[in-house]
Structure formats: structure tokens, C-alpha cells
Amino acid sequence: MGNTDSKLNFRKAVIQLTTKTQPVEATDDAFWDQFWADTATTVQDVFALVPAAEIRAVREESPSNLATLCYKAVEKLVQAAESGCPSEKEKQIVLNCSRMLTRILPYIFEDQDWRGFFWSTVPGAGRAVVNEMDDDGARPLAESLLLAMADLLFCPDFTVNSHRRGPDSVEDMQTIDSCEYIWEAGVGFAQSPPLNYIHDLNRTELLRLLLTCFSEAMYLPPSSDNTILNPWVSFFCSTENRHALPLFTSLVNVVCAYDPVGYGIPYNHLLFSDYREQLVEQAVQILIVTLEHDGGGLAHRPPSPSSMEDQDSVGPDNLFVNYLSRIHREEDYDFVLKGLARLLVNPLMQTYLPNSTKKIQFHQELLVLFWKLCDFNKKFLFFVLKSSDVLDILVPILFYLNDARADQSRVGLMHIGVFILLLLSGERNFGVRLNKPYSVHVPMDIPVFTGTHADLLIVVFHKIITSGHQRLQPLFDCLLTIVVNVSPYLKSLSMVAANKLLHLLEAFSTNWFLFSASQNHHLVFFLLEAFNNIIQYQFDGNCNLVYAIIRKRNLFHQLANLPSDPASIQKALLRKRNSQETVSMEGSRPAVPAEPGTLKTSLVAIPAIDKLTEKSQVSEDGTMISVLKMEHSHASHHTLQSVTCPFLLPQVLSWKCKLPLQTIMRLLQVLVPQVEKICIDKGLTDESEILKFLQHGTLVGLLPANAGTAMWFRTYMWGVVYLRNVDPPIWYDTDVRLFEIQKM
């Protein structure tokens, strides 16, 4: 049958379905087979030939027909999982049913009355294994569908290479050991199977349907109740799924082994389709979605291969989270870290021939995956920080932060990047690694400097604060907390970075800024804390910073003498308000409206810094002491807009007396007279001589899981997945409630 005839017949079947007023019997195979048995439609065809309006019409006017369509499609997948799809026709039926369900499921999820449909038991829809149970113990349709998909993802000659010894040997789908059919070498699996693009395409189709099943989360409004789990994810990642381990391993290995550049032949991505890239994109999206829930309960002990640590604690119910947390071999950590770093740095690569290398687009998903790895596997986090390999993650993150700083539609990317750096900065080794010289110059519009990765971090942070859009202001606390966290370990800041820090202090310590919002003084506290740490622990190598502090000493004297009487405070605020200027950083710009079709960034309020950090401080004897958390308002209220009336006098006074100025004042007291004396005695005007003279002369960011951060991650993650799946546009124009989409 020609492709045009096939499409025509398929369209006729859809019209029949939408115009039938009477229920069609489930036994009428001649009718139902039109949708999958007699057709060769692509997923794009299915989306074009089954319009949204018609799906909704069937849902409202012929609900039994929609129910039967779903049931019959699942039944076909269950039968295929039992038989192993030996014929080409059966393989095509699996693909057609997958495409049809991918098209329909979002319209089931958007209607509250239909949402439980897949979790009800349908008579006749038994377990995947025939005769295992009678109909009274039938599985819900969702479970049958998920188990069938899991089986089909390890189906010889369909999604994996066959291991048959000869033409007469048979691979039984019920007894197959899928751990021998893992898709790619890497964690816990040494053999790399031959690349088969048909298998990659088939895996991609099934993973797309799996992702659609998991997307029910998009149709529920944001909730602070973090105990509500996604039932699709919970079941698929439970011990009910006998393929959980090999599938988790396959997904991780496919992502981390992928090399988009390949053999490095220029323009090779324009010459042929890279089917592996599509698979990698779907795989990383499945991983970040399944790793969202950790269940919180104790599971049955899952199988423990040598690549997973056999811990005493049983771990979470979600086996994907469980397995991720138990990866422990150094070679596996190395494989994962190098793979993620290779992919994250790919969009930064410069070549002499424009557009000659493939550039991946799924860096946001990779950042979420890296976050999950560090969050669920602390040994992986320590491995990352053990060598300067962490800088291969840092530099791409700084590139993305700098690149996205003025684009309101990428505010989520800004947050995930900053959250990762906040997590890393809580570990001493991160600060130590930043001292490595920065020599590989990535294309960024930042001032030229000669220095270390610490200088790069400070210069980029300064750029974000001074020339990002104003909606990034809730992030300022996070950015400066990172600087404080690493400050005790920074051996030698460049003059460029030192001046950037002093410029920030200058901007944040003006009277009108300090008094215009209740939390603005936090930024000054952070900067003073960073200066104190460097002076106390790294004075010897930091003559550039000491010199910059001496040059800007008036700033510190002004802070020490801040007005505290209501009249002076009111005067400072009125002076600013009368000048008709909003209180924002020099160079910052208003957030431009989001482009149509992009995520509105009012997803869910970004967690305030007090939700993300526990604060402690090093005492004089080197031990860690806890300090009370500063009171932070909700992140959505973190704004630098001027207020109409001053705060009550006691609130101003409450923080002024706590400004940590003693160390800097002592330094100025000792060094300023010495520097002035040398300048007079020797007639010095040359900076280098003063620096030569000066040459001889921590907070911890911890990210506990809590409802606020979990919901932010859920909205951000599903927002990314929604926007990245445009061909076909799985969720376009459905009633998504987790976040808002700017309509065309």
C-alpha cells in the first residue's frame, strides 16, 4: 500500500471514530485494526491526521469509543511484548500503537474526570503474561502499558541485537535476562553493542510514549505537598518492573557515551541524520523525570550488580534513584563525569569553519541530571571535586549564565546553573580548584584578564548582577553566597576581579539602596564576609584585593558611619524617588517580554536562599560554628524597587551594628599610613611598587531537600521537556496547569 493511500485510510478511520455516535464493540477488530495494523504512518502523520479538536470531541461525545481505543492499543502492545514481535508487521503495529497513545494521552490527562481512567481495571486487560491471573486480579491499564513498554525496550531484533545462537534458537521474552542486552557500554557494562540506527529509532519512539505517560504531572497545579508522587513514575521505577536496572543503566550509558562530534569530520552532521542524538535527548529527559521522586520509603532490596554499592540501608522505593545513589566505582564516576563534561562543553566549541560541528541543544537537561547525581550520590560529588575535572563543568555553566543573563525566557537556566554552583561551593575542594589558571578562553563578552578560574567566576557574576535583567535580582543572594563560600581558599585574585568586587560593594552600599528594601543589606554583609575571609586566610597572595580596598577605603568609612536617624533615611529615599529612577544595578535592564511560545517565568516562586543554605562559620580556632539564618522574605518579594516609606527605626539599627567591618578597619588602620608614608618617602606613584610592598606584608552552602525547591525543580524540568519536544509537539495547546505558556 502506498504511503498516500495509507494516510488516506488512516484519516478515514479517524473520521469514522469521531462521527460514530454508537459505541464500537471492542471485538470489532476490522474497525480497530485500521488505526495500527493496515497503516504505515510516521509520528508526525499521526499528529497531523488526529487533530486536537477531534480527540476532545470523542472524549466528550463518545467516551466509550475513546476508552476502547486506548484499551485496544495497550492490548496490542501487551501481545507484542509476549510474542517478541517476530514479524515486521508486528513491529509496525507496536510503533503505530505507540504513536497513537502518545497523541491521545495528553487529552486524557487534561480532563480531571478522565485522569484516573488508566488506573482503573478494564475487564479482559490481564497481566502481560497469559494466565498469570484471572480477570478479577487484572492490572490497571497503566501498569499493563508500562510493563509492556519495559519488555519491548529489550526486545531482540526490535530494540536490541539478538543473541540467538542459530536460526532455530528462540529468545523467550518471559525469561530473557535483559542485563545482557544493555544498550551501551559504561556503568556496570563493558561490551559496546554494534550501532543499529533502526533500534535507536524504535527505542526513541517507545521512550517518547513513556515520557508522555509520565507527563501527567504537567496537568496538576503546583503543590507544596511533596509527598504526592507521580503514579506512572512510581510504578515504572518499582520492583514490579524487572527491567528497571538494565534500563536505568542503558539510559545513563547512552547519554554519557554520546559524542556529538564523532570523528571530527567538518559538517558531518549535515551529511547524515544522527539517530543517536534523538535517543540521547529522550533518554536524558526520561532520567531527569524519573529521578524526581525518591519515594522516601524503604524498598525491597533490588538486585545489586557489582557496579552498585551493596549498602546496609535499603534505600528509596524508586529504583532509579536507588541505583543512582549506589554507583560507587571510580571508573564509573569518571565515565559519567567525562561524558557530561564533553556534552556540556559542546555548544561552546569554536572552529575556523562556521557551523562545521554539531551543537547539541539539551544542555539544560544535562544540568538537571548533573544536579541529581550530586544530590543523590554524595560520593560522586566528592569525586567531581577531587580533581580539576570540576572546572570542565564550571566553565560551561559560567558560559550559559553569561549568555542567558539578559534573556527572560531563560531565567530557569540561570537558576539551575546558580544552584549547582551553590551546591559545589559548599565543599572546600571547589574553592581550592578555582585557583587553577584559566587559559582555555571560551567566547564570552567579558573583560579580558589574566588569572584563575576564580577570577572568571567573579567577573561573570559581576556581569550578571550589573547587566542582567532585573528579574534576576532574587539570585544576587545566591551569587554572593557562592563568593563567600569559596573566599577562604582564593590564593590570588587578579586586579580585574578585585575591582569588580569593590564595584559591587560600591553599588550595594549606597544609602538609598540599603534602606529601600528590608533585605538589601544582606548583599553588603556577604561582600564584607568575603573580604574578611580573604584577608584572614589568604592575605599573602592577595595584594590586588588589598590594594583595591585601600583605594576604595572611603566606602568602608561610609558604611561605618551610616545614618541611623529617621530624617536622614527618609531624605536618602526621597532623593532617589524624586529622581524618578528605579532602584536597580547600574547597567541592568528591564526584563523583556517573553517570546510567544516560550515559558512564562512565573513558573513557581524561586526558593529564597534560606531554603537553599544552612549557614555556618569558621571560628578563630578553626572549628565550624552555626550562625542564625538571616530572615529572608519569599523569593518573589526579593526586589530592588524603591519603597514609599522608611522602615521603623529599630529595623535599621538592628543590622547596622552587626556589619562585619572590624577586620577591614584594622587592615586599613595598619596599612594606609604605611602606604602613604612609602609614597611620600620614595615619591612613588606607580601602582606596581605599592603592590610589591603589599605582597610582602567560610560559609557552607548546603541544599537540603524541601518542598519549595522540589516544586521549583518540577516546574522547571517539565517546562524544559515541554519546550524541547516540538517534533511532534506532544503537549502543544493542551491544558497544562503546572506552568504557563505565552500564547502565540
Side-chain angles (χ1 to χ4, degrees):
M1 189 191 296
N3 198 32
T4 309
D5 292 341
S6 181
K7 284 187 197 177
L8 201 60
N9 290 345
F10 181 79
R11 179 63 191 141
K12 281 180 185 170
V14 173
I15 292 168
Q16 277 182 290
L17 183 71
T18 54
T19 51
K20 279 186 185 292
T21 49
Q22 295 302 314
V24 182
E25 289 297 324
T27 49
D28 187 353
D29 286 335
F31 176 76
W32 298 112
D33 282 353
Q34 297 177 95
F35 294 102
W36 36 74
D38 311 322
T39 179
T41 46
T42 65
V43 68
Q44 288 80 10
D45 292 338
V46 170
F47 272 69
L49 298 172
V50 188
E54 293 180 17
I55 302 172
R56 288 188 177 117
V58 175
R59 187 183 71 196
E60 305 308 320
E61 293 155 28
S62 314
S64 64
N65 285 343
L66 181 60
T68 307
L69 180 68
C70 293
Y71 161 61
K72 294 294 284 185
V74 173
E75 183 184 56
K76 287 293 178 189
L77 293 177
V78 170
Q79 289 167 358
E82 290 168 5
S83 70
C85 322
S87 70
E88 286 307 310
K89 183 174 183 180
E90 284 171 284
K91 292 180 173 66
Q92 191 59 51
I93 287 173
V94 168
L95 296 174
N96 291 339
C97 289
S98 298
R99 291 161 186 167
M100 189 55 126
L101 286 168
T102 300
R103 182 59 174 145
I104 292 170
L105 272 167
Y107 299 90
I108 300 277
F109 294 153
E110 74 172 4
D111 188 317
Q112 195 171 348
D113 296 334
W114 273 86
R115 217 169 282 144
F117 166 71
F118 270 84
W119 293 97
S120 57
T121 357
V122 181
R127 283 182 181 261
V129 182
V130 185
N131 300 328
E132 189 176 322
M133 300 181 84
D134 57 27
D135 281 348
D136 294 337
R139 284 193 176 280
L141 205 54
E143 293 185 5
S144 299
L145 171 58
L146 290 170
L147 292 178
M149 276 193 287
D151 281 337
L152 288 165
L153 285 165
F154 293 96
C155 181
D157 287 328
F158 181 55
T159 49
V160 291
N161 290 307
S162 172
H163 292 186
R164 275 200 303 269
R165 298 284 178 265
D168 299 328
S169 65
V170 178
E171 290 169 293
D172 180 9
M173 285 294 287
Q174 273 64 57
T175 57
I176 200 169
D177 180 4
S178 44
C179 284
E180 295 175 7
Y181 293 81
I182 288 170
W183 300 349
E184 185 58 78
V187 175
F189 195 68
Q191 298 85 32
S192 192
L195 205 60
N196 184 316
Y197 78 92
I198 298 290
H199 293 171
D200 275 2
L201 286 172
N202 294 341
R203 293 164 178 169
T204 302
E205 295 265 11
L206 288 168
L207 291 182
R208 186 187 292 122
L209 172 55
L210 190 58
L211 189 66
T212 309
C213 290
F214 295 158
S215 73
E216 183 181 316
M218 280 194 204
Y219 297 89
L220 304 172
S223 157
S224 58
D225 185 356
N226 208 34
T227 59
I228 299 172
L229 299 182
N230 182 328
W232 296 85
V233 170
S234 296
F235 181 81
F236 191 77
C237 297
S238 74
T239 48
E240 294 275 358
N241 179 1
R242 69 189 181 100
H243 304 292
L245 174 64
L247 183 58
F248 168 76
T249 311
S250 294
L251 295 171
V252 169
N253 292 355
V254 156
V255 171
C256 295
Y258 178 56
D259 182 359
V261 178
Y263 294 107
I265 303 161
Y267 301 105
N268 64 348
H269 63 293
L270 302 179
L271 303 177
F272 61 89
S273 291
D274 183 354
Y275 299 108
R276 181 52 60 110
E277 183 183 22
Q278 298 169 32
L279 176 62
V280 170
E281 286 203 24
Q282 294 289 308
V284 73
Q285 289 174 5
I286 291 285
L287 280 171
I288 63 174
V289 166
T290 48
L291 290 169
E292 187 195 5
H293 300 292
D294 64 8
L298 293 179
H300 311 293
R301 179 176 291 285
S304 183
S306 58
S307 61
M308 308 293 169
E309 192 165 24
D310 197 11
Q311 296 171 331
D312 293 335
S313 61
V314 181
D317 284 328
N318 180 321
L319 294 187
F320 278 31
V321 174
N322 196 312
Y323 295 139
L324 184 80
S325 69
R326 292 163 58 197
I327 297 171
H328 68 286
R329 295 194 307 200
E330 295 246 330
E331 58 266 39
D332 291 337
Y333 289 156
D334 190 59
F335 165 74
V336 170
L337 179 58
K338 283 193 165 52
L340 293 178
R342 177 175 58 249
L343 292 170
L344 283 170
V345 84
N346 163 268
L348 286 59
M349 290 169 64
Q350 281 185 306
T351 51
Y352 292 107
L353 299 168
N355 304 317
S356 64
T357 57
K358 176 193 282 287
K359 298 205 172 177
I360 61 155
Q361 302 296 318
F362 51 93
H363 50 275
Q364 296 193 81
E365 295 97 313
L366 291 167
L367 290 175
V368 175
L369 180 59
F370 180 77
W371 167 273
K372 304 278 188 194
L373 278 156
C374 293
D375 197 28
F376 291 134
N377 192 321
K378 292 304 174 202
K379 289 183 181 174
F380 175 76
L381 174 60
F382 299 144
F383 177 85
V384 168
L385 294 163
K386 202 167 73 170
S387 73
S388 55
D389 287 351
V390 66
L391 303 176
D392 296 334
I393 301 287
L394 169 72
V395 172
I397 289 177
L398 291 176
F399 170 84
Y400 296 130
L401 291 179
N402 185 61
D403 190 53
R405 70 180 191 276
D407 182 351
Q408 155 171 297
S409 69
R410 291 196 284 168
V411 73
L413 168 60
M414 297 294 295
H415 282 85
I416 184 69
V418 172
F419 288 169
I420 288 171
L421 296 185
L422 187 62
L423 179 72
L424 294 174
S425 74
E427 304 297 332
R428 173 189 176 277
N429 271 0
F430 182 67
V432 173
R433 300 293 161 222
L434 290 179
N435 291 307
K436 186 176 179 181
Y438 174 64
S439 51
V440 184
H441 289 285
V442 165
M444 282 197 253
D445 56 335
I446 55 172
V448 177
F449 67 92
T450 303
T452 65
H453 285 75
D455 296 308
L456 176 68
L457 180 135
I458 287 167
V459 167
V460 170
F461 282 10
H462 175 270
K463 192 95 177 174
I464 293 167
I465 291 170
T466 59
S467 64
H469 61 76
Q470 289 169 0
R471 293 187 64 180
L472 295 180
Q473 287 166 357
L475 275 183
F476 291 1
D477 273 14
C478 283
L479 293 170
L480 295 186
T481 299
I482 294 164
V483 173
V484 174
N485 286 350
V486 301
S487 59
Y489 313 107
L490 305 184
K491 293 183 182 302
S492 176
L493 286 183
S494 68
M495 188 63 86
V496 171
N499 285 334
K500 297 298 181 196
L501 288 176
L502 267 296
H503 176 242
L504 290 179
L505 183 69
E506 194 170 10
F508 291 144
S509 61
T510 58
N511 290 358
W512 57 264
F513 181 81
L514 279 173
F515 299 136
S516 63
S518 62
Q519 75 286 351
N520 283 358
H521 65 275
H522 296 165
L523 303 172
V524 170
F525 272 77
F526 288 140
L527 286 164
L528 292 176
E529 199 69 55
F531 295 148
N532 289 342
N533 285 340
I534 293 172
I535 291 165
Q536 286 174 337
Y537 304 115
Q538 301 291 346
F539 181 83
D540 287 355
N542 273 293
C543 57
N544 288 327
L545 180 65
V546 173
Y547 179 62
I549 288 172
I550 290 172
R551 282 184 57 219
K552 293 280 186 180
R553 57 189 178 277
N554 283 351
L555 281 178
F556 302 97
H557 290 298
Q558 284 163 17
L559 277 171
N561 297 297
L562 273 175
S564 53
D565 59 292
S568 302
I569 295 170
Q570 180 75 328
K571 194 173 166 187
L573 291 169
L574 282 172
R575 192 183 309 131
K576 195 63 195 174
R577 194 161 69 249
N578 291 340
S579 70
Q580 298 297 305
E581 292 178 39
T582 56
V583 179
S584 62
M585 280 299 301
E586 169 200 338
S588 74
R589 58 199 79 177
V592 288
E595 291 290 315
T598 59
L599 270 175
K600 264 186 143 178
T601 47
S602 56
L603 303 182
V604 82
I606 293 104
I609 185 84
D610 63 333
K611 294 283 192 292
L612 295 167
T613 57
E614 287 175 358
K615 298 207 170 103
S616 56
Q617 194 170 21
V618 181
S619 68
E620 285 181 18
D621 64 356
T623 56
M624 302 299 283
I625 51 172
S626 290
V627 288
L628 289 172
K629 290 181 184 175
M630 295 175 182
E631 297 253 341
H632 285 253
S633 61
H634 203 270
S636 58
H637 300 139
H638 272 240
T639 170
L640 305 191
Q641 301 306 310
S642 187
V643 290
T644 51
C645 61
F647 295 102
L648 295 174
L649 184 57
Q651 279 181 294
V652 175
L653 288 178
S654 64
W655 58 259
K656 185 194 164 187
C657 59
K658 294 176 189 170
L659 277 170
L661 285 164
Q662 299 85 339
T663 304
I664 292 170
M665 287 311 201
R666 177 76 184 135
L667 173 138
L668 293 173
Q669 205 178 346
V670 171
L671 288 182
V672 170
Q674 291 181 25
V675 171
E676 286 176 342
K677 185 174 188 303
I678 290 169
C679 290
I680 293 164
D681 291 352
K682 299 191 176 177
L684 286 183
T685 52
D686 184 10
E687 277 188 358
S688 62
E689 289 296 321
I690 299 168
L691 287 170
K692 203 178 289 180
F693 162 72
L694 292 173
Q695 244 170 346
H696 303 297
T698 187
L699 291 179
V700 176
L702 199 63
L703 287 140
N706 65 71
T709 44
M711 183 45 67
W712 184 88
F713 271 98
R714 188 176 306 164
T715 54
Y716 170 61
M717 175 181 71
W718 277 112
V720 169
V721 169
Y722 178 101
L723 292 173
R724 298 278 302 116
N725 285 273
V726 292
D727 184 23
I730 301 176
W731 301 282
Y732 177 73
D733 218 17
T734 59
D735 187 19
V736 170
R737 299 180 65 198
L738 189 62
F739 44 79
E740 288 183 56
I741 299 294
Q742 192 88 18
K743 295 285 189 243
M744 297 292 276

